[in-house]
């Protein structure tokens, strides 16, 4: 008895064949059964043909028929793309003399980027080379980006941008490249003969010292290797010029000279060959970028001190910066002439203020008035809060005015208006009054 149950009649007598049907009511429960095993049927000519359809794990289109696959050899577009990528990656790896594990890893990277649709809009050579370089970095190989660029004849900068795009998308942080990996490779192209091992050993020791003095931070390994090989070759009495090194490591000559100068500023740069190979310096030098920034700071401080310090200036030069008495008098008279009107007004105001004090007149107080706001509601009580946040009693103010008993005459008001015209309040027509002195 089957464990299945008919959804129509509730019967449990289920026939499982090409279709799953109930024998009691004839209800078809399933008509397309996906199975993991492969069955074969006999064809018209007596040959065996696989029945059913094959559904690929990474299929993007409709399921392909076993019969069509055997007879016509039909393939999906994605499968064809992967086969072409495998062929291209294999050809590049054979030129680089790499093993099969590099090919498999690069192809696995390519499949991931293909599923993420990152390979669209780029040349397939760039995609293949970027995947190969990722695999080589994982295997800690001595192949550089410029080597792939030379083999394929593509721009190394464009290849580098593609590589960075792929690594950032998958959040892959490849291991850092040790410059010592490239020493033995580059030394073989310098024609050193039997002394190749000695020169390589000395160059590796120089690179290790550079790493200890923080010279390798932010630098390409080819530049460090070129500087180390040039110094090691000359220490072992091989006449090698910077142009010879540049052709091998493929860097600019100015970059090579910078690495040499940076190493020359360290303590190890003052040692001889015997001392360098035997003496171990425990101290570490500051990074070149730190030295450059400190040098700029010192130059800036010296420039500032030079502007402030007057000890080196003689009296004749110092007199040029200080005005003489005639120049000071001329400047003062010129200022008084320009501001004559303003000074006269201020003098008249001061004289009037002194006369008012002598006559016993009270000192004028500036009155602060504000324009009433629109739609202002009447006060609910005699005690209200003014604009400054203080509580004002209107009745108390009126009582104080009555106690003073002194009224201001019209003549005084007119005189105040004439004399203090500049002290009046100014209303610009807005909702808020502004006072101008």
């Amino acid at each position: 008895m089957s464990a299945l149950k008919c959804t129509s009649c509730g019967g449990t007598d289920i026939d499982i064949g090409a279709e799953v049907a109930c024998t009691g009511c004839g209800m078809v429960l399933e008509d397309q059964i996906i199975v993991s095993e492969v069955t074969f049927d006999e064809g018209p000519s007596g040959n065996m043909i696989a029945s059913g359809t094959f559904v690929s794990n990474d299929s993007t289109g409709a399921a392909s028929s076993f019969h069509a696959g055997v007879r016509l050899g039909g393939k999906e577009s994605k499968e064809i793309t992967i086969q072409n990528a495998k062929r291209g990656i294999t050809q590049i790896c054979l030129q680089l003399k790499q093993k099969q594990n590099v090919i498999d890893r690069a192809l696995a990277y390519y499949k991931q980027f293909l599923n993420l649709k990152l390979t669209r809009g780029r040349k397939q050579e760039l995609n293949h080379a970027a995947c190969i370089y990722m695999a080589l970095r994982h295997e800690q190989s001595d192949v550089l980006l410029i080597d792939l660029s030379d083999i394929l004849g593509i721009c190394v900068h464009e290849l580098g941008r593609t590589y960075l795009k792929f690594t950032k998308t998958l959040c892959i942080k490849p291991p850092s490249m040790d410059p010592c990996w490239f020493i033995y490779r580059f030394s073989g192209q310098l024609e050193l003969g039997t002394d190749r091992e000695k020169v390589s050993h000395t160059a590796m020791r120089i690179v290790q010292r550079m790493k200890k003095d923080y010279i390798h931070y932010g630098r390409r390994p080819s530049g460090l290797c070129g500087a180390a090989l040039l110094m090691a070759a000359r220490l072992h009495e091989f006449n090698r010029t910077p142009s010879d090194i540049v052709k091998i490591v493929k860097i600019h000559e100015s970059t090579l000279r910078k690495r040499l100068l940076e190493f020359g500023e360290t303590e190890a740069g003052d040692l001889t060959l015997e001392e360098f190979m035997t003496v171990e310096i425990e101290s570490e030098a500051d990074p070149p970028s730190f030295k450059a920034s400190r040098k700029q700071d010192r130059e800036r401080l010296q420039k500032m001190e030079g502007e402030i310090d007057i000890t080196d200036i003689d009296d004749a030069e110092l007199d040029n910066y200080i005005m003489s008495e005639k120049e000071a008098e001329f400047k003062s008279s010129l200022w008084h002439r320009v501001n004559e009107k303003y000074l006269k007004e201020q003098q008249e105001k001061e004289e009037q203020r002194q006369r008012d004090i002598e006559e016993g007149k009270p000192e004028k107080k500036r009155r602060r008035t504000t324009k009433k706001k629109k739609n202002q509601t009447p006060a609910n009580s005699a005690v209200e809060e003014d604009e400054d946040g203080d509580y004002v009693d209107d009745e108390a103010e009126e009582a104080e005015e009555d106690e003073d008993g002194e009224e201001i005459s019209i003549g005084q008001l007119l005189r105040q208006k004439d004399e203090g015209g500049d002290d009046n309040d100014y209303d610009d027509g807005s909702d808020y009054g502004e006072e101008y002195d």
Side-chain angles (χ1 to χ4, degrees):
M1 181 178 293
S2 175
L4 298 176
K5 189 176 181 180
C6 180
T7 57
S8 178
C9 64
T12 57
D13 191 5
I14 306 298
D15 181 23
I16 301 176
E19 296 178 348
V20 179
C22 177
T23 57
C25 63
M27 179 68 179
V28 178
L29 302 178
E30 294 183 16
D31 57 352
Q32 294 181 356
I33 303 176
I34 299 176
V35 295
S36 58
E37 64 270 8
V38 181
T39 59
F40 297 90
D41 296 331
E42 185 176 356
S45 59
N47 58 339
M48 301 300 293
I49 300 175
S51 60
T53 56
F54 174 73
V55 180
S56 175
N57 187 26
D58 54 352
S59 177
T60 57
S64 59
S65 173
F66 278 113
H67 180 72
V70 174
R71 288 287 186 87
L72 302 177
K75 297 180 181 179
E76 294 184 3
S77 175
K78 184 176 181 180
E79 186 178 354
I80 296 174
T81 303
I82 293 175
Q83 288 183 358
N84 294 334
K86 184 177 181 180
R87 190 181 304 109
I89 290 172
T90 304
Q91 291 178 357
I92 298 173
C93 290
L94 290 177
Q95 295 182 40
L96 295 173
K97 299 179 181 179
Q98 298 298 322
K99 299 180 181 179
Q100 183 64 33
N101 58 340
V102 177
I103 299 175
D104 297 338
R105 185 178 293 275
L107 186 61
Y109 282 135
Y110 183 86
K111 290 180 180 179
Q112 295 182 29
F113 300 138
L114 183 63
N115 293 331
L116 295 174
K117 300 179 181 180
L118 291 176
T119 58
R120 295 183 179 180
R122 293 187 179 89
K123 295 181 180 179
Q124 290 300 321
E125 293 178 346
L126 288 173
N127 298 328
H128 300 166
C131 295
I132 291 172
Y133 187 69
M134 292 178 63
L136 292 173
R137 287 289 297 270
H138 186 80
E139 297 292 334
Q140 297 184 354
S141 176
D142 59 350
V143 179
L144 297 171
L145 270 178
I146 197 168
D147 299 329
L148 292 168
S149 175
D150 292 341
I151 291 175
L152 300 176
I154 56 180
C155 178
V156 65
H157 300 288
E158 191 174 358
L159 177 58
R161 286 192 292 268
T162 305
Y163 165 73
L164 291 177
K165 178 68 175 178
F166 286 175
T167 53
K168 289 180 180 179
T169 303
L170 294 183
C171 298
I172 297 176
K173 188 176 181 181
S176 58
M177 303 178 68
D178 192 349
C180 296
W181 300 346
F182 307 94
I183 292 293
Y184 197 76
R185 169 191 166 184
F186 292 144
S187 63
Q189 304 177 26
L190 289 176
E191 299 178 358
L192 301 174
T194 57
D195 293 334
R196 178 185 177 184
E197 295 291 339
K198 295 181 181 179
V199 175
S200 300
H201 180 67
T202 305
M204 286 186 180
R205 190 173 178 85
I206 294 174
V207 170
Q208 292 175 359
R209 187 63 220 180
M210 287 181 175
K211 293 171 64 177
K212 195 172 183 179
D213 292 332
Y214 304 101
I215 300 178
H216 71 293
Y217 277 106
R219 267 64 173 180
R220 295 181 181 178
S222 55
L224 300 178
C225 293
L229 285 173
L230 180 60
M231 288 186 286
R234 291 188 174 182
L235 287 173
H236 289 278
E237 299 180 355
F238 284 97
N239 187 15
R240 296 294 181 269
T241 61
S243 58
D244 298 334
I245 302 296
V246 166
K247 294 177 182 178
I248 295 174
V249 299
K250 298 176 182 178
I251 59 173
H252 198 269
E253 188 173 348
S254 61
T255 304
L256 180 63
R257 295 187 182 279
K258 286 182 181 179
R259 300 293 90 80
L260 294 174
L261 292 175
E262 291 172 357
F263 185 78
E265 294 176 356
T266 61
E267 295 182 9
D270 299 332
L271 302 178
T272 62
L273 177 59
E274 295 180 358
E275 294 174 348
F276 181 75
M277 299 301 292
T278 55
V279 177
E280 186 69 27
I281 302 175
E282 297 181 358
S283 61
E284 298 177 355
D286 294 327
S289 58
F290 180 80
K291 293 180 181 178
S293 61
R294 295 288 79 79
K295 183 179 179 181
Q296 293 177 359
D297 293 341
R298 285 194 298 269
E299 292 177 355
R300 193 180 301 111
L301 289 174
Q302 290 176 0
K303 186 177 180 181
M304 294 175 62
E305 291 176 358
E307 294 177 355
I308 299 173
D309 190 10
I310 60 174
T311 55
D312 297 335
I313 303 177
D314 54 0
D315 295 338
E317 186 178 357
L318 191 61
D319 291 339
N320 295 330
Y321 297 100
I322 301 175
M323 290 190 300
S324 61
E325 294 182 0
K326 293 183 179 180
E327 292 175 346
E329 292 177 358
F330 175 76
K331 186 175 181 180
S332 178
S333 62
L334 180 63
W335 186 87
H336 283 81
R337 235 184 359 257
V338 172
N339 300 282
E340 182 179 1
K341 184 178 180 180
Y342 171 77
L343 294 174
K344 186 177 181 180
E345 292 176 356
Q346 294 296 324
Q347 185 178 1
E348 292 177 355
K349 288 183 180 181
E350 182 64 23
E351 292 176 355
Q352 181 64 33
R353 191 177 68 84
Q354 293 294 336
R355 285 196 300 269
D356 292 342
I357 293 175
E358 292 176 358
E359 294 176 359
K361 295 181 180 180
E363 187 177 357
K364 293 185 299 182
K365 295 182 179 180
R366 184 178 301 169
R367 292 179 298 173
R368 183 180 182 87
T369 60
T370 56
K371 187 177 180 180
K372 293 183 179 180
K373 297 182 180 180
K374 297 179 180 179
N375 301 327
Q376 186 175 3
T377 57
N380 296 326
S381 63
V383 180
E384 292 184 346
E385 184 178 358
D386 62 356
E387 293 180 356
D388 297 331
D390 299 327
Y391 288 94
V392 180
D393 191 347
D394 295 336
E395 296 178 358
E397 287 185 351
E398 292 176 1
E400 289 178 358
E401 292 177 0
D402 294 337
E403 289 177 1
D404 294 337
E406 183 177 359
E407 296 181 357
I408 301 175
S409 63
I410 298 176
Q412 290 179 350
L413 289 174
L414 294 174
R415 187 165 55 251
Q416 289 178 1
K417 184 175 181 181
D418 294 335
E419 294 174 356
D422 296 335
D423 297 334
N424 291 338
D425 297 335
Y426 174 79
D427 187 5
D428 61 351
S430 61
D431 292 340
Y432 301 94
E434 297 181 359
E435 295 183 357
Y436 292 85
D437 295 334

